[in-house]
Amino acid sequence: MIVEERIYTLHAGQAAAYLAAYEAEGLVIQKSILGRMVGYYSTEFGPLNQVVHLWAYEDLAERTERRARLLADPAWKTYAAKVRPMVLRQENKLLLPAPFMKVLWQAQETPPSAP
């Protein structure tokens, strides 16, 4: 399992507008294609005007396939064109879990043990 962390630094004063647009249009598109949203946050302290979101994938191949489908989706292209002017900078990181980490969606996919 891998987690992709995406950080968008927005132009000052654009966080509320970005989040509203994402909730109204982008959320349903991304969730239906990318699948496993781990979290979606905005910053309050430290670097301001940032939106941080986390997506889980089984592996890099799944991430590559799902991201390709997202970028090819006409509705996503329309949405992205609306919010792109709000974004100043984008950072992406691929995070690997510690050996003891088991995320909730993986735990739910494991069949229960016999009594």
Side-chain angles (χ1 to χ4, degrees), residues 18-72:
Y18 180 91
L19 291 170
Y22 183 77
E23 183 178 15
E25 297 179 54
L27 176 62
V28 68
I29 302 166
Q30 270 198 318
K31 283 186 78 174
S32 69
I33 296 173
L34 297 183
R36 298 180 201 96
M37 179 190 284
V38 176
Y40 212 98
Y41 309 93
S42 61
T43 56
E44 181 67 23
F45 296 104
L48 299 177
N49 304 303
Q50 290 187 331
V51 172
V52 179
H53 44 118
L54 305 163
W55 298 88
Y57 303 97
E58 287 292 338
D59 52 32
L60 191 54
E62 180 192 15
R63 184 231 176 242
T64 299
E65 184 273 327
R66 287 181 179 266
R67 293 288 310 166
R69 277 197 288 145
L70 180 68
L71 295 176

